[in-house]
Amino acid sequence: MRIGVFVCHCGSNIEGTVDTGIVAKTALDFPEVVFATDTMYACSEPGQDGIIQAIKDKNLTGVVVASCTPRMHEPTFRRAVERAGLNRFMFEMANIREHVSWIGKDREANTNKSVDLVRIAVEKLRRDAPLIPSKFSVNKRVMIIGGGVAGIQAALDCADGGLEVVLVERDSSIGGKMAKLDKTFPTVDCSSCILGPKMVDVAQHPNITLHAYSEVDAISGYVGNFQVQVKKKATYVDWELCTGCGACMEKCPSKKNPDVFNEKIGPCTSINIPFPQAIPKKAYIDATTCRQFVKGKCGVCAKVCPTGAIRYDMTDEIVTEDVGAIVAATGYDLFDISKIAEYGGGRYPDVITGLQYERLLSASGPTGGHIKRPSDGKEPKNIVFIQCVGSRDKSLDRPYCSGFCCMYTAKQTILTKDHIPDSQSYVFYMDIRAPGKMYDEFTRRAMEEYGARYIRGRVAMVYPKGDKLMVRGADTLAGTQVEIEADLVVLAAGAEAAKGAPQLAEKLRISYDKYGFFMESHPKLKPVETNTAGVYLAGSCQGPKDIPQSVGQGSAAAAKVLALFSKDMLESDPQISRVDIKRCVGCGKCIMTCPFKAIKEVEFRGQKKAEVIETVCQGCGICTSTCPQGAIQLSHFTDNQILAEVNALCQS
Amino acid sequence: MSRLEELKTRIREALPGLECVIGWQQGYDALHNTPLFMRSDADVDKLTWGVLNVHNPAVYLPTMAGKKVGVVVKGCDSRSVVELLQEKLIDRDNVVIFAAGCDGVVDLTKVKAKLAAAGVSAGNAEKVATDGKTVSVTAGGQTVAMPLAEVCADKCLRCQFPNAVLADVFVGDPAPQPTPNPTGNADLDALDAMSVDDRMAFWRYHMDRCIRCYACRNACPMCVCRDHCIAQSREPHWLSQEDSVTEKLMFQVVHAMHLAGRCTECGECQRACPMDIPVLALKKHLNRTIHDLFNYQAGVDVAAIPPLLQFKLEEDNIKERGW
Amino acid sequence: MPVLTGKELRIVGFLCNWCSYGGADTAGVGRFNQPTDLRIIRVPCSGRIDPLFIAKTLIGGADGVLVSGCHPRDCHYAEGNFYARRRLEVLKRFLPILGIDPGRFDYTWVSASEGQRWQKVVTVFTEQIHALGPAPRFDAVAPELLAKIAGAIGQGGNRVAA
Amino acid sequence: MAAKYISREKLPEWLKALAAERRVLVPVEEGGSVVFRAYDPARAPVFGSDATAPPKGAVFPASQELFSYACGKEGEDANPTLKLEAHTEATPTVVFGSKPCGARGFLIFDRVYMGKKYPDPYYIAAREATVFVTMACDRVENTCFCHWVGSGPADAAGSDLLLTPVDGGYLVEAVSDKGAPFLDSPVLADGAGKTAEAEAVKAKAREALGEAPDIADAPKALLGLFDDLEFWRDQSDKCVSCGACTYLCPTCYCFSITDEGAGLAGKRVRSWDACMHFQFTLEASGHNPRPTKAHRLKNRVGHKFSYYPTLHDGLIACCGCGRCVKSCPVSVDIREIVQNAVAKAKA
């Protein structure tokens, strides 16, 4: 091998505390180093040209650049050596800026340490092998999991971009949380009026296949070629025949079931279409309450259905969808307010969540848009809103801010005033988080124009007194205790990861945080990517988000999918594990520990062997440290490479 | 019928369907038994059962994969079979496990020491007699009687499973559960009592005479890499072939770490060592760690997953240090 | 010139690329002063770190080894640090029986944003190693110590005396 | 040359005198094993029973640096200068207290490494620098079979001085030219009066071994069984393929060579190799002509009792010390295998 070493000054960033000339000169003493020089800015155009020229002039077959972190410029230099005709993996970096020059001023020690870092880079490079990516075809279909506003947006953007889209929704209708909202902040426009058309677009788009009342059962494959098993849950109604006329709902004798769409503040029938704008507008039977199932006899809906769509014998069905990319847009769920006993949620009917309040405000809600409190149907006059219920609370293991509660509470105080002009809203808050466009103005309007009284402080307890609820709390600005007699208490319940999110993450082989929110690839620079190639995120499944953010992410994820699908063939990252079939004893320990299911068992001349699925392997190397005989080696981070680095540091 | 006779009967019955059945027979002298591969009724006649069956026959099973074989096991040996099954290194359908209650086996090093103390050379052993409590060895015309408890293997002093944890054919009455005897852990206790520096000297002292024969590894039923062990490969190149203490010790670290959570403490590594190096202590120590950390013991549950091949999101017993 | 005699000790770090290597970068970007002893070997994931690398490094003559990965649940590869946590903890508890001070090895979790935490970790760990001093070596055990151990072990007693 | 006598009490004095001028290796007890170590007056040698490991390493170390190299580099010169340094020098050594079989083993080495065709400078230097003061056996063990291979408990072949235990001390005889000068030591007394007693001790030990079976047909028998893999499967069933038998064998002389480099310097190391290991014949392609332990055991026994004697005037490449039997973790008995082979050939 003929190695060239380039030691970067980075202006004075490195040269200020490292003698790069000495580092370069010392590097010449290392094995197989035939050229070494210091350079002003290795990453600059002249710097890169210098490297390329040296590769050509000196017939270099490998390059070490000692400069900044490889997390910054490794791709830059790899492209440069590739332009000079080398394989881009015949390159190593020594990080002598972030790890040396910037963290100490002792020039002697820094120079010495830089030499060591170059030494291990050289030793590693000596054991590098050219890696060549392989190509594979892409199935240009995309699956969107979750039909909330983020998923709808992603589906529509992908479909408009010409892709075939499979949209999977757990409930019987798409729409998600947004469909339950009455109005949206800060414009106070009607939620279903702006969402409805998009839902209809989904239903009518020729490129979109919708699997409602369905869940993802299993996922296999890899970017470009996933196989997803979708479980279509039994609706007991043949949706091919159902016209959504609603005759069944009118006649259904089981009418007192908690209406999930209405956040259980109203009743619904066992056979149900959740709301008038539902997409698809099809009925389904809740078998846990339906008399036909519970008691074994009824059959009313079957009798009244004009198209004969009722199928009591229907069972769950698994369909397999082949797709090339997946967008997870599974949204969020609400914090269970009954967990804070002192607020009385779950005990007092007039302590409700903000989303329940949305249903009370909504014209299509159980009260027809009239605010009537659940206990007695009376119109409340004094309404207390409590912020941060299950948000920003370490004691509940919910230290994060749910983000949108401040804004929707402000909106709800405004709507309350609109509905009941002689009402008074009180808001107990910790801080007001209103950083969006027109957001702060909006909260100010709630206070200044609509007279909502904002009280900075926490509520200690809520207790009933007659038909009222006493809300006792602190006003930390006034430094006093306050007690408010409320007719209705609305809790701004925090956002939590959707139920089943961790299980889905495991199927998708993506990471999730301790709260169950999915992990993006990089919090700043890769917000909708995940660490599994071909799987993207949109909306609140990644963390609490408001509507514009969710829509933005839906579009962003769609853009990522469209970019991915802009190529007919994909290249796999060649920095993956490889099995030495002669050494493998087929014990399968690598298969057990691979987080990506990227290793499979194969038969080779009658013996069990492990085989890496190139396109699935992500290059973590867990298999390599698991295999006792070192038969599976992660390219570019082989045992011998790391041992050579260790030896270089220990023996020198 | 004695355990032995019943074993023989049952093995003879099963033999026609099996490649062979692995057991023990008398070896080159009265004191040394040796593994027996029974392929005929005449072979079965040679089978022995008793305190001299020191070897763990499970070691042969992975090398016979694909063939249907029988194996006669002591309680401890059966744990190795369980572990091999658990790791899918052998196929349950291809192994027939014959077992009987075990009253313990000798540690030949202890027997030789007893003989030496009596001025008798173990190299002249002529006859060995046992009655379950005492072992009497006749050598050079002299008979030395020694209590089994004083010459049995350390593992027997701490035996939890005198009867196989898994068997297809179990003959005779189960052996009674012995009372644990703390002297079975004397080796580890001694190391525990040393300072860290003394332990380094201890290993330096002992590893110096290691001849790198890898008997410890090859006698280990869980060392399934065998021909592909990283101790003797260049790719990867973990060890050089130099006769240095660091290389020799590093191999023991490799062996021990590769056994972490898999070792059943059968003690074959140490028993096999021709240089009497106390290598088992390292594995005992690791087993104790594995037990403390993961409340896990290898070789008792075919369905278990070795603790280092799995994890918990929140570990019960691992606490991160503060900075 | 591996380490500066008298000034530095030989400390080897194994850092995962995604979190801790980035955390060390962040510490650099923030100009957080750190001792210079540590040499970092970059690996993709803490799950790639075979505990035997650490044993090899310590037996090979390093005075200290520091491993750092992503915080649990933050692993770029979802599970690597969970495996690493078990394996590294087992190794840490194994070292003393070999005669290696367990203080010569530590593992921790540092995210890419935790520059200050990294500075703290490096500083504390380096101080810890300096407090322990240069590591004793297996191939250079003092003859007196060896004689003491040999005496304590005594004669095996399983040979017939001449 | 007249025999000498040394009392047990005087032995340390003689050892000290010898150790003053050269390395003296004596068998000492170490953690339950007996190994040859440099003489240390504080550690009593163990002369009673045979050492766990023979003194093979005195002449043929477990690993040995054949040469070291260092590349010099001058700037951008891609072809650095290379400096080689061979290490053939040997330390003058006395191996004191080995049993005759341990010393006899080197006769098998000598024909390989001191032959005309491929003289091995490292071996030759060490062999010539080493003197063997052996101790005749006054008792035998179950594993002893030196008399099978043309040797015996007082075999002087390969030794330079022979000590025979007699009442109160040892009779000391020079049994080679190299050994003769050592009799001049002032520590030694006249041994004329002890020779008869010594002869009786030798005879008694020889008698204790009993009659050796006739294995004259072994070379032919083993060769005849070369392709009888079932026979070898049966013989090797219990073998675990470790290297204890070969590494402890005074006659096993195989080695492997590896280069160990670090940076620009490195060394070539010769180390013991064992034909029982899979790697012994593993080829770079992955092919292995001796893939199973049956193949390998066949080679070990065949080499010792057939191939080697056929090439070397009938000299069996085994000294009958019995270590391979005694130290084998599973008691593989080479005597039994040879006898089985002879019997099978007869049948």
Side-chain angles (χ1 to χ4, degrees), chain A residues 2 28-30 33-34 58 651, chain D residues 73 75-76 78 262-264 285-286:
Chain A
R2 294 177 58 84
L28 267 184
D29 293 338
F30 297 159
V33 174
V34 296
K58 308 280 179 186
Q651 288 170 359
Chain D
K73 272 191 83 181
E76 296 182 8
L264 288 170
S285 65

Side-chain angles (χ1 to χ4, degrees), chain D residues 259-288:
Chain D
D259 285 1
E260 298 297 340
L264 288 170
K267 56 197 165 190
R268 175 155 297 176
V269 176
R270 165 155 91 178
S271 52
W272 290 350
D273 204 351
C275 56
M276 308 308 285
H277 288 154
F278 175 82
Q279 289 81 356
F280 188 77
T281 48
L282 179 62
E283 295 170 5
S285 65
H287 172 67
N288 194 336

Side-chain angles (χ1 to χ4, degrees), chain D residues 317-340:
Chain D
C318 168
C319 60
C321 70
R323 282 189 180 83
C324 56
V325 185
K326 188 158 67 172
S327 293
C328 175
V330 291
S331 302
V332 172
D333 189 343
I334 196 169
R335 298 169 298 189
E336 187 189 359
I337 299 171
V338 172
Q339 280 185 304
N340 287 346

